[in-house]
Amino acid sequence: MAPPDPPRPPAGDAAPGRPRSRAGLLSEVSTGGPLALTAVLRRADLGDDTAARMPVAALLRALPGMGPLTAHDLLGVARIREDQQVRDLRDDQRGALLQIVGRLVRTAPHGTAPHGTAPHGTAPHGTAPHGTAPT
């Protein structure tokens, strides 16, 4: 049996305007889009344990308009396991994820990715990139 999660800090210990829970982080990504996801990765680097323990797949699925199949495909492009947490990302995986998120920011209106779309050079499940035949 896994050890229980460490106790949460008292409400007054969290930085103002920062989510204190996993649900809060997912909500932040859901409303803030790819830029908020990048901010969560940065917070994990700065020692935010809640951000560091978030599954990367959950963060991708929280993006506005991101479907589970597209998130799965993007994880595959970045070579990230479905159950991998932010703190366990290798440098190459983090770089690939940031590149994908950067493409989402540049290609989607208002920083959101429409359902069923993927960054240029990747394709949603069951489709091929523009100009190529499906395999």
mmCIF file with all atom_site columns, all heavy atoms in Angstrom, residues 60-86:
data_model
loop_
_atom_site.group_PDB
_atom_site.id
_atom_site.type_symbol
_atom_site.label_atom_id
_atom_site.label_alt_id
_atom_site.label_comp_id
_atom_site.label_asym_id
_atom_site.label_entity_id
_atom_site.label_seq_id
_atom_site.pdbx_PDB_ins_code
_atom_site.Cartn_x
_atom_site.Cartn_y
_atom_site.Cartn_z
_atom_site.occupancy
_atom_site.B_iso_or_equiv
_atom_site.pdbx_formal_charge
_atom_site.auth_seq_id
_atom_site.auth_comp_id
_atom_site.auth_asym_id
_atom_site.auth_atom_id
_atom_site.pdbx_PDB_model_num
ATOM 1   N N   . LEU A 1 60 ? -2.323  17.881 -20.055 1.00 0.00 ? 60 LEU A N   1
ATOM 2   C CA  . LEU A 1 60 ? -2.673  18.033 -21.476 1.00 0.00 ? 60 LEU A CA  1
ATOM 3   C C   . LEU A 1 60 ? -4.177  17.929 -21.690 1.00 0.00 ? 60 LEU A C   1
ATOM 4   O O   . LEU A 1 60 ? -4.764  18.721 -22.433 1.00 0.00 ? 60 LEU A O   1
ATOM 5   C CB  . LEU A 1 60 ? -1.962  16.976 -22.319 1.00 0.00 ? 60 LEU A CB  1
ATOM 6   C CG  . LEU A 1 60 ? -0.524  17.262 -22.705 1.00 0.00 ? 60 LEU A CG  1
ATOM 7   C CD1 . LEU A 1 60 ? 0.061   16.091 -23.483 1.00 0.00 ? 60 LEU A CD1 1
ATOM 8   C CD2 . LEU A 1 60 ? -0.420  18.530 -23.528 1.00 0.00 ? 60 LEU A CD2 1
ATOM 9   N N   . ARG A 1 61 ? -4.804  16.932 -21.050 1.00 0.00 ? 61 ARG A N   1
ATOM 10  C CA  . ARG A 1 61 ? -6.257  16.761 -21.223 1.00 0.00 ? 61 ARG A CA  1
ATOM 11  C C   . ARG A 1 61 ? -7.040  17.942 -20.663 1.00 0.00 ? 61 ARG A C   1
ATOM 12  O O   . ARG A 1 61 ? -8.169  18.189 -21.078 1.00 0.00 ? 61 ARG A O   1
ATOM 13  C CB  . ARG A 1 61 ? -6.718  15.459 -20.580 1.00 0.00 ? 61 ARG A CB  1
ATOM 14  C CG  . ARG A 1 61 ? -6.349  14.232 -21.389 1.00 0.00 ? 61 ARG A CG  1
ATOM 15  C CD  . ARG A 1 61 ? -7.048  12.980 -20.878 1.00 0.00 ? 61 ARG A CD  1
ATOM 16  N NE  . ARG A 1 61 ? -6.761  12.717 -19.485 1.00 0.00 ? 61 ARG A NE  1
ATOM 17  C CZ  . ARG A 1 61 ? -5.782  11.947 -19.025 1.00 0.00 ? 61 ARG A CZ  1
ATOM 18  N NH1 . ARG A 1 61 ? -4.987  11.344 -19.874 1.00 0.00 ? 61 ARG A NH1 1
ATOM 19  N NH2 . ARG A 1 61 ? -5.597  11.768 -17.739 1.00 0.00 ? 61 ARG A NH2 1
ATOM 20  N N   . ALA A 1 62 ? -6.443  18.693 -19.733 1.00 0.00 ? 62 ALA A N   1
ATOM 21  C CA  . ALA A 1 62 ? -7.122  19.854 -19.155 1.00 0.00 ? 62 ALA A CA  1
ATOM 22  C C   . ALA A 1 62 ? -7.137  21.048 -20.105 1.00 0.00 ? 62 ALA A C   1
ATOM 23  O O   . ALA A 1 62 ? -7.912  21.985 -19.905 1.00 0.00 ? 62 ALA A O   1
ATOM 24  C CB  . ALA A 1 62 ? -6.460  20.245 -17.834 1.00 0.00 ? 62 ALA A CB  1
ATOM 25  N N   . LEU A 1 63 ? -6.296  21.017 -21.140 1.00 0.00 ? 63 LEU A N   1
ATOM 26  C CA  . LEU A 1 63 ? -6.275  22.136 -22.078 1.00 0.00 ? 63 LEU A CA  1
ATOM 27  C C   . LEU A 1 63 ? -7.629  22.274 -22.764 1.00 0.00 ? 63 LEU A C   1
ATOM 28  O O   . LEU A 1 63 ? -8.254  21.265 -23.120 1.00 0.00 ? 63 LEU A O   1
ATOM 29  C CB  . LEU A 1 63 ? -5.186  21.929 -23.131 1.00 0.00 ? 63 LEU A CB  1
ATOM 30  C CG  . LEU A 1 63 ? -3.754  22.071 -22.657 1.00 0.00 ? 63 LEU A CG  1
ATOM 31  C CD1 . LEU A 1 63 ? -2.789  21.565 -23.726 1.00 0.00 ? 63 LEU A CD1 1
ATOM 32  C CD2 . LEU A 1 63 ? -3.458  23.521 -22.296 1.00 0.00 ? 63 LEU A CD2 1
ATOM 33  N N   . PRO A 1 64 ? -8.091  23.500 -22.968 1.00 0.00 ? 64 PRO A N   1
ATOM 34  C CA  . PRO A 1 64 ? -9.383  23.707 -23.629 1.00 0.00 ? 64 PRO A CA  1
ATOM 35  C C   . PRO A 1 64 ? -9.412  23.052 -25.009 1.00 0.00 ? 64 PRO A C   1
ATOM 36  O O   . PRO A 1 64 ? -8.500  23.235 -25.811 1.00 0.00 ? 64 PRO A O   1
ATOM 37  C CB  . PRO A 1 64 ? -9.480  25.231 -23.762 1.00 0.00 ? 64 PRO A CB  1
ATOM 38  C CG  . PRO A 1 64 ? -8.528  25.778 -22.765 1.00 0.00 ? 64 PRO A CG  1
ATOM 39  C CD  . PRO A 1 64 ? -7.444  24.754 -22.613 1.00 0.00 ? 64 PRO A CD  1
ATOM 40  N N   . GLY A 1 65 ? -10.419 22.245 -25.249 1.00 0.00 ? 65 GLY A N   1
ATOM 41  C CA  . GLY A 1 65 ? -10.612 21.601 -26.535 1.00 0.00 ? 65 GLY A CA  1
ATOM 42  C C   . GLY A 1 65 ? -9.731  20.389 -26.794 1.00 0.00 ? 65 GLY A C   1
ATOM 43  O O   . GLY A 1 65 ? -9.800  19.803 -27.857 1.00 0.00 ? 65 GLY A O   1
ATOM 44  N N   . MET A 1 66 ? -8.901  20.011 -25.835 1.00 0.00 ? 66 MET A N   1
ATOM 45  C CA  . MET A 1 66 ? -7.996  18.876 -26.029 1.00 0.00 ? 66 MET A CA  1
ATOM 46  C C   . MET A 1 66 ? -8.734  17.587 -25.703 1.00 0.00 ? 66 MET A C   1
ATOM 47  O O   . MET A 1 66 ? -9.179  17.394 -24.575 1.00 0.00 ? 66 MET A O   1
ATOM 48  C CB  . MET A 1 66 ? -6.769  19.014 -25.117 1.00 0.00 ? 66 MET A CB  1
ATOM 49  C CG  . MET A 1 66 ? -5.782  17.872 -25.220 1.00 0.00 ? 66 MET A CG  1
ATOM 50  S SD  . MET A 1 66 ? -4.888  17.769 -26.779 1.00 0.00 ? 66 MET A SD  1
ATOM 51  C CE  . MET A 1 66 ? -3.967  19.301 -26.734 1.00 0.00 ? 66 MET A CE  1
ATOM 52  N N   . GLY A 1 67 ? -8.866  16.728 -26.681 1.00 0.00 ? 67 GLY A N   1
ATOM 53  C CA  . GLY A 1 67 ? -9.506  15.448 -26.452 1.00 0.00 ? 67 GLY A CA  1
ATOM 54  C C   . GLY A 1 67 ? -8.511  14.417 -25.955 1.00 0.00 ? 67 GLY A C   1
ATOM 55  O O   . GLY A 1 67 ? -7.293  14.585 -26.095 1.00 0.00 ? 67 GLY A O   1
ATOM 56  N N   . PRO A 1 68 ? -8.990  13.329 -25.379 1.00 0.00 ? 68 PRO A N   1
ATOM 57  C CA  . PRO A 1 68 ? -8.094  12.317 -24.838 1.00 0.00 ? 68 PRO A CA  1
ATOM 58  C C   . PRO A 1 68 ? -7.223  11.651 -25.907 1.00 0.00 ? 68 PRO A C   1
ATOM 59  O O   . PRO A 1 68 ? -6.065  11.332 -25.645 1.00 0.00 ? 68 PRO A O   1
ATOM 60  C CB  . PRO A 1 68 ? -9.011  11.313 -24.157 1.00 0.00 ? 68 PRO A CB  1
ATOM 61  C CG  . PRO A 1 68 ? -10.381 11.626 -24.614 1.00 0.00 ? 68 PRO A CG  1
ATOM 62  C CD  . PRO A 1 68 ? -10.392 13.019 -25.125 1.00 0.00 ? 68 PRO A CD  1
ATOM 63  N N   . LEU A 1 69 ? -7.746  11.458 -27.110 1.00 0.00 ? 69 LEU A N   1
ATOM 64  C CA  . LEU A 1 69 ? -6.938  10.828 -28.155 1.00 0.00 ? 69 LEU A CA  1
ATOM 65  C C   . LEU A 1 69 ? -5.830  11.761 -28.625 1.00 0.00 ? 69 LEU A C   1
ATOM 66  O O   . LEU A 1 69 ? -4.699  11.328 -28.850 1.00 0.00 ? 69 LEU A O   1
ATOM 67  C CB  . LEU A 1 69 ? -7.808  10.401 -29.337 1.00 0.00 ? 69 LEU A CB  1
ATOM 68  C CG  . LEU A 1 69 ? -8.748  9.232  -29.062 1.00 0.00 ? 69 LEU A CG  1
ATOM 69  C CD1 . LEU A 1 69 ? -9.606  8.943  -30.279 1.00 0.00 ? 69 LEU A CD1 1
ATOM 70  C CD2 . LEU A 1 69 ? -7.960  8.006  -28.669 1.00 0.00 ? 69 LEU A CD2 1
ATOM 71  N N   . THR A 1 70 ? -6.136  13.041 -28.774 1.00 0.00 ? 70 THR A N   1
ATOM 72  C CA  . THR A 1 70 ? -5.119  13.998 -29.180 1.00 0.00 ? 70 THR A CA  1
ATOM 73  C C   . THR A 1 70 ? -4.043  14.109 -28.101 1.00 0.00 ? 70 THR A C   1
ATOM 74  O O   . THR A 1 70 ? -2.845  14.130 -28.399 1.00 0.00 ? 70 THR A O   1
ATOM 75  C CB  . THR A 1 70 ? -5.744  15.377 -29.465 1.00 0.00 ? 70 THR A CB  1
ATOM 76  O OG1 . THR A 1 70 ? -6.751  15.224 -30.466 1.00 0.00 ? 70 THR A OG1 1
ATOM 77  C CG2 . THR A 1 70 ? -4.698  16.367 -29.941 1.00 0.00 ? 70 THR A CG2 1
ATOM 78  N N   . ALA A 1 71 ? -4.465  14.163 -26.843 1.00 0.00 ? 71 ALA A N   1
ATOM 79  C CA  . ALA A 1 71 ? -3.496  14.222 -25.746 1.00 0.00 ? 71 ALA A CA  1
ATOM 80  C C   . ALA A 1 71 ? -2.605  12.983 -25.769 1.00 0.00 ? 71 ALA A C   1
ATOM 81  O O   . ALA A 1 71 ? -1.383  13.083 -25.617 1.00 0.00 ? 71 ALA A O   1
ATOM 82  C CB  . ALA A 1 71 ? -4.222  14.342 -24.401 1.00 0.00 ? 71 ALA A CB  1
ATOM 83  N N   . HIS A 1 72 ? -3.205  11.823 -25.998 1.00 0.00 ? 72 HIS A N   1
ATOM 84  C CA  . HIS A 1 72 ? -2.447  10.570 -26.078 1.00 0.00 ? 72 HIS A CA  1
ATOM 85  C C   . HIS A 1 72 ? -1.417  10.645 -27.208 1.00 0.00 ? 72 HIS A C   1
ATOM 86  O O   . HIS A 1 72 ? -0.249  10.253 -27.034 1.00 0.00 ? 72 HIS A O   1
ATOM 87  C CB  . HIS A 1 72 ? -3.401  9.393  -26.290 1.00 0.00 ? 72 HIS A CB  1
ATOM 88  C CG  . HIS A 1 72 ? -2.719  8.096  -26.527 1.00 0.00 ? 72 HIS A CG  1
ATOM 89  N ND1 . HIS A 1 72 ? -2.208  7.317  -25.516 1.00 0.00 ? 72 HIS A ND1 1
ATOM 90  C CD2 . HIS A 1 72 ? -2.443  7.442  -27.680 1.00 0.00 ? 72 HIS A CD2 1
ATOM 91  C CE1 . HIS A 1 72 ? -1.656  6.233  -26.031 1.00 0.00 ? 72 HIS A CE1 1
ATOM 92  N NE2 . HIS A 1 72 ? -1.785  6.290  -27.337 1.00 0.00 ? 72 HIS A NE2 1
ATOM 93  N N   . ASP A 1 73 ? -1.831  11.142 -28.366 1.00 0.00 ? 73 ASP A N   1
ATOM 94  C CA  . ASP A 1 73 ? -0.927  11.250 -29.504 1.00 0.00 ? 73 ASP A CA  1
ATOM 95  C C   . ASP A 1 73 ? 0.209   12.231 -29.230 1.00 0.00 ? 73 ASP A C   1
ATOM 96  O O   . ASP A 1 73 ? 1.363   11.982 -29.579 1.00 0.00 ? 73 ASP A O   1
ATOM 97  C CB  . ASP A 1 73 ? -1.684  11.671 -30.762 1.00 0.00 ? 73 ASP A CB  1
ATOM 98  C CG  . ASP A 1 73 ? -2.582  10.567 -31.296 1.00 0.00 ? 73 ASP A CG  1
ATOM 99  O OD1 . ASP A 1 73 ? -2.415  9.397  -30.887 1.00 0.00 ? 73 ASP A OD1 1
ATOM 100 O OD2 . ASP A 1 73 ? -3.457  10.881 -32.120 1.00 0.00 ? 73 ASP A OD2 1
ATOM 101 N N   . LEU A 1 74 ? -0.097  13.346 -28.579 1.00 0.00 ? 74 LEU A N   1
ATOM 102 C CA  . LEU A 1 74 ? 0.941   14.326 -28.261 1.00 0.00 ? 74 LEU A CA  1
ATOM 103 C C   . LEU A 1 74 ? 1.942   13.765 -27.257 1.00 0.00 ? 74 LEU A C   1
ATOM 104 O O   . LEU A 1 74 ? 3.140   14.023 -27.362 1.00 0.00 ? 74 LEU A O   1
ATOM 105 C CB  . LEU A 1 74 ? 0.317   15.614 -27.736 1.00 0.00 ? 74 LEU A CB  1
ATOM 106 C CG  . LEU A 1 74 ? -0.534  16.392 -28.741 1.00 0.00 ? 74 LEU A CG  1
ATOM 107 C CD1 . LEU A 1 74 ? -1.120  17.640 -28.098 1.00 0.00 ? 74 LEU A CD1 1
ATOM 108 C CD2 . LEU A 1 74 ? 0.254   16.736 -29.992 1.00 0.00 ? 74 LEU A CD2 1
ATOM 109 N N   . LEU A 1 75 ? 1.456   12.986 -26.309 1.00 0.00 ? 75 LEU A N   1
ATOM 110 C CA  . LEU A 1 75 ? 2.358   12.321 -25.372 1.00 0.00 ? 75 LEU A CA  1
ATOM 111 C C   . LEU A 1 75 ? 3.300   11.377 -26.124 1.00 0.00 ? 75 LEU A C   1
ATOM 112 O O   . LEU A 1 75 ? 4.489   11.299 -25.820 1.00 0.00 ? 75 LEU A O   1
ATOM 113 C CB  . LEU A 1 75 ? 1.581   11.545 -24.311 1.00 0.00 ? 75 LEU A CB  1
ATOM 114 C CG  . LEU A 1 75 ? 0.843   12.377 -23.268 1.00 0.00 ? 75 LEU A CG  1
ATOM 115 C CD1 . LEU A 1 75 ? -0.081  11.491 -22.441 1.00 0.00 ? 75 LEU A CD1 1
ATOM 116 C CD2 . LEU A 1 75 ? 1.820   13.128 -22.373 1.00 0.00 ? 75 LEU A CD2 1
ATOM 117 N N   . GLY A 1 76 ? 2.762   10.682 -27.103 1.00 0.00 ? 76 GLY A N   1
ATOM 118 C CA  . GLY A 1 76 ? 3.586   9.782  -27.907 1.00 0.00 ? 76 GLY A CA  1
ATOM 119 C C   . GLY A 1 76 ? 4.650   10.529 -28.687 1.00 0.00 ? 76 GLY A C   1
ATOM 120 O O   . GLY A 1 76 ? 5.800   10.080 -28.763 1.00 0.00 ? 76 GLY A O   1
ATOM 121 N N   . VAL A 1 77 ? 4.288   11.670 -29.259 1.00 0.00 ? 77 VAL A N   1
ATOM 122 C CA  . VAL A 1 77 ? 5.253   12.483 -29.998 1.00 0.00 ? 77 VAL A CA  1
ATOM 123 C C   . VAL A 1 77 ? 6.390   12.919 -29.077 1.00 0.00 ? 77 VAL A C   1
ATOM 124 O O   . VAL A 1 77 ? 7.560   12.907 -29.462 1.00 0.00 ? 77 VAL A O   1
ATOM 125 C CB  . VAL A 1 77 ? 4.558   13.722 -30.627 1.00 0.00 ? 77 VAL A CB  1
ATOM 126 C CG1 . VAL A 1 77 ? 5.569   14.717 -31.151 1.00 0.00 ? 77 VAL A CG1 1
ATOM 127 C CG2 . VAL A 1 77 ? 3.605   13.290 -31.735 1.00 0.00 ? 77 VAL A CG2 1
ATOM 128 N N   . ALA A 1 78 ? 6.060   13.281 -27.841 1.00 0.00 ? 78 ALA A N   1
ATOM 129 C CA  . ALA A 1 78 ? 7.061   13.736 -26.873 1.00 0.00 ? 78 ALA A CA  1
ATOM 130 C C   . ALA A 1 78 ? 7.719   12.565 -26.138 1.00 0.00 ? 78 ALA A C   1
ATOM 131 O O   . ALA A 1 78 ? 8.601   12.778 -25.303 1.00 0.00 ? 78 ALA A O   1
ATOM 132 C CB  . ALA A 1 78 ? 6.418   14.687 -25.865 1.00 0.00 ? 78 ALA A CB  1
ATOM 133 N N   . ARG A 1 79 ? 7.280   11.341 -26.419 1.00 0.00 ? 79 ARG A N   1
ATOM 134 C CA  . ARG A 1 79 ? 7.801   10.122 -25.769 1.00 0.00 ? 79 ARG A CA  1
ATOM 135 C C   . ARG A 1 79 ? 7.629   10.168 -24.251 1.00 0.00 ? 79 ARG A C   1
ATOM 136 O O   . ARG A 1 79 ? 8.538   9.861  -23.489 1.00 0.00 ? 79 ARG A O   1
ATOM 137 C CB  . ARG A 1 79 ? 9.251   9.878  -26.154 1.00 0.00 ? 79 ARG A CB  1
ATOM 138 C CG  . ARG A 1 79 ? 9.423   9.656  -27.643 1.00 0.00 ? 79 ARG A CG  1
ATOM 139 C CD  . ARG A 1 79 ? 10.861  9.473  -28.024 1.00 0.00 ? 79 ARG A CD  1
ATOM 140 N NE  . ARG A 1 79 ? 10.980  9.424  -29.461 1.00 0.00 ? 79 ARG A NE  1
ATOM 141 C CZ  . ARG A 1 79 ? 11.277  8.326  -30.148 1.00 0.00 ? 79 ARG A CZ  1
ATOM 142 N NH1 . ARG A 1 79 ? 11.468  7.196  -29.533 1.00 0.00 ? 79 ARG A NH1 1
ATOM 143 N NH2 . ARG A 1 79 ? 11.376  8.372  -31.441 1.00 0.00 ? 79 ARG A NH2 1
ATOM 144 N N   . ILE A 1 80 ? 6.418   10.573 -23.860 1.00 0.00 ? 80 ILE A N   1
ATOM 145 C CA  . ILE A 1 80 ? 6.062   10.662 -22.442 1.00 0.00 ? 80 ILE A CA  1
ATOM 146 C C   . ILE A 1 80 ? 5.028   9.581  -22.154 1.00 0.00 ? 80 ILE A C   1
ATOM 147 O O   . ILE A 1 80 ? 4.046   9.442  -22.892 1.00 0.00 ? 80 ILE A O   1
ATOM 148 C CB  . ILE A 1 80 ? 5.484   12.059 -22.114 1.00 0.00 ? 80 ILE A CB  1
ATOM 149 C CG1 . ILE A 1 80 ? 6.552   13.133 -22.367 1.00 0.00 ? 80 ILE A CG1 1
ATOM 150 C CG2 . ILE A 1 80 ? 4.982   12.120 -20.671 1.00 0.00 ? 80 ILE A CG2 1
ATOM 151 C CD1 . ILE A 1 80 ? 6.023   14.546 -22.287 1.00 0.00 ? 80 ILE A CD1 1
ATOM 152 N N   . ARG A 1 81 ? 5.245   8.811  -21.087 1.00 0.00 ? 81 ARG A N   1
ATOM 153 C CA  . ARG A 1 81 ? 4.287   7.762  -20.699 1.00 0.00 ? 81 ARG A CA  1
ATOM 154 C C   . ARG A 1 81 ? 2.982   8.399  -20.206 1.00 0.00 ? 81 ARG A C   1
ATOM 155 O O   . ARG A 1 81 ? 2.981   9.498  -19.661 1.00 0.00 ? 81 ARG A O   1
ATOM 156 C CB  . ARG A 1 81 ? 4.863   6.892  -19.576 1.00 0.00 ? 81 ARG A CB  1
ATOM 157 C CG  . ARG A 1 81 ? 6.069   6.079  -19.937 1.00 0.00 ? 81 ARG A CG  1
ATOM 158 C CD  . ARG A 1 81 ? 6.505   5.176  -18.777 1.00 0.00 ? 81 ARG A CD  1
ATOM 159 N NE  . ARG A 1 81 ? 6.293   5.723  -17.453 1.00 0.00 ? 81 ARG A NE  1
ATOM 160 C CZ  . ARG A 1 81 ? 7.171   6.495  -16.797 1.00 0.00 ? 81 ARG A CZ  1
ATOM 161 N NH1 . ARG A 1 81 ? 8.325   6.816  -17.360 1.00 0.00 ? 81 ARG A NH1 1
ATOM 162 N NH2 . ARG A 1 81 ? 6.917   6.954  -15.586 1.00 0.00 ? 81 ARG A NH2 1
ATOM 163 N N   . GLU A 1 82 ? 1.902   7.686  -20.346 1.00 0.00 ? 82 GLU A N   1
ATOM 164 C CA  . GLU A 1 82 ? 0.591   8.172  -19.887 1.00 0.00 ? 82 GLU A CA  1
ATOM 165 C C   . GLU A 1 82 ? 0.584   8.493  -18.393 1.00 0.00 ? 82 GLU A C   1
ATOM 166 O O   . GLU A 1 82 ? -0.096  9.403  -17.966 1.00 0.00 ? 82 GLU A O   1
ATOM 167 C CB  . GLU A 1 82 ? -0.498  7.123  -20.163 1.00 0.00 ? 82 GLU A CB  1
ATOM 168 C CG  . GLU A 1 82 ? -0.931  7.040  -21.603 1.00 0.00 ? 82 GLU A CG  1
ATOM 169 C CD  . GLU A 1 82 ? -1.860  8.160  -22.034 1.00 0.00 ? 82 GLU A CD  1
ATOM 170 O OE1 . GLU A 1 82 ? -2.581  8.734  -21.195 1.00 0.00 ? 82 GLU A OE1 1
ATOM 171 O OE2 . GLU A 1 82 ? -1.848  8.455  -23.234 1.00 0.00 ? 82 GLU A OE2 1
ATOM 172 N N   . ASP A 1 83 ? 1.330   7.735  -17.598 1.00 0.00 ? 83 ASP A N   1
ATOM 173 C CA  . ASP A 1 83 ? 1.310   7.912  -16.140 1.00 0.00 ? 83 ASP A CA  1
ATOM 174 C C   . ASP A 1 83 ? 2.469   8.754  -15.616 1.00 0.00 ? 83 ASP A C   1
ATOM 175 O O   . ASP A 1 83 ? 2.647   8.889  -14.406 1.00 0.00 ? 83 ASP A O   1
ATOM 176 C CB  . ASP A 1 83 ? 1.305   6.556  -15.446 1.00 0.00 ? 83 ASP A CB  1
ATOM 177 C CG  . ASP A 1 83 ? 2.562   5.745  -15.725 1.00 0.00 ? 83 ASP A CG  1
ATOM 178 O OD1 . ASP A 1 83 ? 3.305   6.063  -16.681 1.00 0.00 ? 83 ASP A OD1 1
ATOM 179 O OD2 . ASP A 1 83 ? 2.812   4.769  -14.991 1.00 0.00 ? 83 ASP A OD2 1
ATOM 180 N N   . GLN A 1 84 ? 3.252   9.350  -16.497 1.00 0.00 ? 84 GLN A N   1
ATOM 181 C CA  . GLN A 1 84 ? 4.451   10.082 -16.075 1.00 0.00 ? 84 GLN A CA  1
ATOM 182 C C   . GLN A 1 84 ? 4.113   11.418 -15.433 1.00 0.00 ? 84 GLN A C   1
ATOM 183 O O   . GLN A 1 84 ? 3.274   12.165 -15.933 1.00 0.00 ? 84 GLN A O   1
ATOM 184 C CB  . GLN A 1 84 ? 5.370   10.298 -17.277 1.00 0.00 ? 84 GLN A CB  1
ATOM 185 C CG  . GLN A 1 84 ? 6.764   10.692 -16.909 1.00 0.00 ? 84 GLN A CG  1
ATOM 186 C CD  . GLN A 1 84 ? 7.737   10.466 -18.056 1.00 0.00 ? 84 GLN A CD  1
ATOM 187 O OE1 . GLN A 1 84 ? 7.413   9.802  -19.039 1.00 0.00 ? 84 GLN A OE1 1
ATOM 188 N NE2 . GLN A 1 84 ? 8.916   11.002 -17.925 1.00 0.00 ? 84 GLN A NE2 1
ATOM 189 N N   . GLN A 1 85 ? 4.752   11.699 -14.327 1.00 0.00 ? 85 GLN A N   1
ATOM 190 C CA  . GLN A 1 85 ? 4.542   12.958 -13.618 1.00 0.00 ? 85 GLN A CA  1
ATOM 191 C C   . GLN A 1 85 ? 5.530   14.008 -14.123 1.00 0.00 ? 85 GLN A C   1
ATOM 192 O O   . GLN A 1 85 ? 6.589   13.685 -14.659 1.00 0.00 ? 85 GLN A O   1
ATOM 193 C CB  . GLN A 1 85 ? 4.726   12.767 -12.116 1.00 0.00 ? 85 GLN A CB  1
ATOM 194 C CG  . GLN A 1 85 ? 3.694   11.851 -11.509 1.00 0.00 ? 85 GLN A CG  1
ATOM 195 C CD  . GLN A 1 85 ? 3.927   11.635 -10.022 1.00 0.00 ? 85 GLN A CD  1
ATOM 196 O OE1 . GLN A 1 85 ? 4.974   11.947 -9.479  1.00 0.00 ? 85 GLN A OE1 1
ATOM 197 N NE2 . GLN A 1 85 ? 2.906   11.087 -9.370  1.00 0.00 ? 85 GLN A NE2 1
ATOM 198 N N   . VAL A 1 86 ? 5.177   15.277 -13.912 1.00 0.00 ? 86 VAL A N   1
ATOM 199 C CA  . VAL A 1 86 ? 6.013   16.386 -14.352 1.00 0.00 ? 86 VAL A CA  1
ATOM 200 C C   . VAL A 1 86 ? 7.425   16.245 -13.793 1.00 0.00 ? 86 VAL A C   1
ATOM 201 O O   . VAL A 1 86 ? 8.412   16.445 -14.503 1.00 0.00 ? 86 VAL A O   1
ATOM 202 C CB  . VAL A 1 86 ? 5.378   17.740 -13.953 1.00 0.00 ? 86 VAL A CB  1
ATOM 203 C CG1 . VAL A 1 86 ? 6.331   18.890 -14.206 1.00 0.00 ? 86 VAL A CG1 1
ATOM 204 C CG2 . VAL A 1 86 ? 4.061   17.952 -14.689 1.00 0.00 ? 86 VAL A CG2 1
#
